[in-house]
Amino acid sequence: MTKPPMLTAQQALDHLLSHAKSVSQAESVPVQAALGRVLAEDVQSLVDVPPLDNTAMDGYAVRVADTSISSSILKIAQRIPAGSVGAQLEPGTAARIFTGAPIPAGADAVVMQEDCTIPEGSTDQVQVNVAPVTGQWIRRRGEDLAAGKVALTSGTFLRPQELGVAASAGLTHLSVKRRIKVAAFFTGDELALPGEPLKPGGIYNSNRDTLLACLKSLGCDATDLGIVPDRLEATKQALRQASKDHDLIITSGGVSVGEEDHIKPAVSAEGRLDLWQIAIKPGKPLAFGAVRKSDNPADGEAWFIGLPGNPVSSFVTFLLFVRPFILKLQGREEKLPQSYLMRADFDWSKADRRNEFLRVKVNAQGGLDLFPNQSSGVLTSASWGDGLVDCPPSQPIKVGDLVKYIPFDALLK
Ligand code: AMP
Ligand code: MG
């Protein structure tokens, strides 16, 4: 049997992404329900934001020409609270004005109240103690958003601040891509669910909770198809069920080529499959393919990604490969997760020939600490950690080295 080719992480990712295409269907949802969704079209502002030139401070709207000498005294001719519009500012006068209120015609600066005094005994005069410069404390009409201009672009992942931008642009609803439907099942005769007794040799199914939560945090509709025994027919049946109403099927376990690993023959029988060896650690084997939705080719296929069974391997390969694949299906326009150069406060002398992803934590000194046990079965390394260090092949790390750090936070949304 020929050994499958060893791919770099980048090659595997490029290959996956070359297949993924954004879903075309969109739906209109209220802005308040759009958190975590992906914008399906450009959004134009309905209004200028702010709608008029207005003051950024509580104080006095003035004409700069009237205040060029310090300690100028002006008559307070009007009072403009936020939400009302003042009258023309006559020469030699000032308008008492409050943050957000429109600048009256004729005024060209605002003096903040801290820079003014009311002359002794006066009720309608203000003394300007600091001469203003033209435009001071004025927020210009449309400086945030201009009516008719694109405020948010198609493919944007909607965070709280984007919802606020949509509201300030006057929108009640947003057109977002439909959710990606993902079915997951978990192979392994040793697996049991928490709450069930563990038989000898048994282990609780942790991948279910990790992976379903990953899918939810990416805004997918996730279906749990449960534990599937290590048998070919059961695996094929689970695939047929999963393919029906889903865009993507993900599984954990059974992707090696042992006698108990049925993913390869099952997916090959129900569709098509490549089994990859990726030169990464944890996570080496990964299966990619597609499963027919029915015997009628016109019904199409569901994508298939088979992750390794070890809990850290399945988590890390999900973050590195499944997440970008899903983002592409969602039509999310963004670069792959940001990595940062951070200082290693640890030595890693046993560099592997594979590209390793080490579980690390940011310490109070702004450096990175390493979890002592980097085994692919030790999931507590990931819960202790804040992220991964992307460690190039055969490259040891010494205390003080700058390393590529990818925070989990950036990968779980
Ligand atoms: P496999 O990829 O099926 O060869 O499994 C590799 C290792 O991961 C074995 O030790 C399995 O017991 C373990 N494993 C597989 N699936 C799960 C799961 N869902 N939860 C926890 N451990 C698992
Ligand atoms: Mg197994």
Side-chain angles (χ1 to χ4, degrees):
M1 198 169 95
T2 53
K3 257 182 123 180
M6 199 70 149
L7 303 176
T8 64
Q10 191 59 54
Q11 286 169 330
L13 188 60
D14 289 346
H15 190 68
L16 276 172
L17 295 183
S18 71
H19 288 278
K21 215 171 111 237
S22 169
V23 294
S24 51
Q25 301 94 326
E27 54 185 324
S28 173
V29 298
V31 170
Q32 300 79 43
L35 185 65
R37 304 297 296 270
V38 180
L39 208 53
E41 54 191 42
D42 288 354
V43 166
Q44 288 159 355
S45 184
L46 301 177
V47 290
D48 285 324
V49 182
L52 293 171
D53 289 358
N54 69 94
T55 173
M57 284 286 170
D58 286 348
Y60 296 87
V62 299
R63 290 170 178 267
V64 168
D66 292 339
T67 54
S68 47
I69 49 160
S70 60
S71 306
S72 314
I73 294 185
L74 302 171
K75 179 177 171 359
I76 304 170
Q78 50 180 321
R79 189 173 183 279
I80 316 173
S84 59
V85 177
Q88 169 85 23
L89 190 80
E90 298 304 333
T93 72
R96 178 75 172 117
I97 196 163
F98 300 90
T99 304
I103 303 295
D108 55 5
V110 171
V111 183
M112 61 169 143
Q113 61 195 21
E114 292 81 350
D115 289 339
C116 300
T117 42
I118 303 296
E120 195 73 43
S122 166
T123 52
D124 65 349
Q125 284 184 312
V126 60
Q127 178 174 317
V128 175
N129 299 320
V130 183
V133 295
T134 303
Q136 176 177 296
W137 299 123
I138 295 177
R139 304 190 288 207
R140 294 294 172 193
R141 170 181 178 164
E143 73 175 21
D144 190 358
L145 294 172
K149 288 275 163 53
V150 172
L152 296 167
T153 54
S154 175
T156 298
F157 175 72
L158 297 168
R159 303 170 298 171
Q161 53 268 53
E162 277 80 32
L163 303 190
V165 167
S168 69
L171 286 119
T172 59
H173 286 70
L174 290 171
S175 172
V176 296
K177 294 277 188 180
R178 75 155 168 84
R179 290 188 191 277
I180 305 302
K181 290 178 272 188
V182 186
F185 66 86
F186 311 90
T187 74
D189 283 342
E190 72 278 35
L191 300 180
L193 285 183
E196 292 172 1
L198 270 187
K199 58 178 194 208
I203 178 172
Y204 285 124
N205 178 2
S206 60
N207 292 345
R208 170 173 93 142
D209 289 287
T210 312
L211 296 176
L212 291 175
C214 283
L215 291 168
K216 285 196 189 117
S217 63
L218 295 181
C220 297
D221 272 339
T223 310
D224 175 15
L225 295 180
I227 295 166
V228 171
D230 285 322
R231 278 189 299 284
L232 182 61
E233 197 40 54
T235 312
K236 282 166 61 174
Q237 207 208 313
L239 288 169
R240 284 195 292 272
Q241 189 193 346
S243 68
K244 294 233 157 42
D245 300 314
H246 297 95
D247 303 299
L248 170 66
I249 305 166
I250 64 169
T251 62
S252 79
V255 282
S256 301
V257 280
E259 287 159 35
E260 299 292 340
D261 296 314
H262 299 293
I263 288 293
K264 186 174 161 59
V267 182
S268 303
E270 298 297 323
R272 54 206 165 90
L273 182 91
D274 282 329
L275 189 57
W276 297 341
Q277 298 295 317
I278 308 177
I280 60 165
K281 192 179 172 187
K284 198 159 127 204
L286 192 93
F288 175 60
V291 177
R292 290 185 295 273
K293 286 185 182 279
S294 77
D295 291 336
N296 179 358
D299 289 339
E301 298 170 321
W303 293 113
F304 174 86
I305 302 179
L307 304 174
N310 273 308
V312 185
S313 307
S314 65
F315 179 54
V316 169
T317 50
F318 181 95
L319 299 180
L320 297 179
F321 302 109
V322 182
R323 176 181 179 273
F325 190 80
I326 288 175
L327 262 50
K328 189 122 186 246
L329 295 183
Q330 290 173 327
R332 255 170 89 170
E333 288 293 338
E334 62 192 78
K335 297 274 162 258
L336 289 171
Q338 188 75 40
S339 62
Y340 305 91
L341 283 182
M342 297 265 297
R343 187 191 67 238
D345 286 347
F346 62 86
D347 278 317
W348 183 247
S349 53
K350 42 185 173 182
D352 197 88
R353 280 166 49 210
R354 290 179 275 163
N355 179 187
E356 208 160 349
F357 291 87
L358 305 169
R359 273 75 69 213
V360 296
K361 190 192 190 82
V362 179
N363 62 34
Q365 291 70 45
L368 298 172
D369 292 335
L370 182 73
F371 193 75
N373 186 343
Q374 293 286 325
S375 158
S376 61
V378 175
L379 192 55
T380 46
S381 65
S383 90
W384 176 90
D386 294 320
L388 300 169
V389 162
D390 178 349
C391 181
S394 308
Q395 194 170 303
I397 295 171
K398 283 198 288 306
V399 168
D401 285 353
L402 287 182
V403 293
K404 237 169 122 180
Y405 168 69
I406 314 171
F408 285 136
D409 287 353
L411 296 166
L412 288 169
K413 58 179 174 50

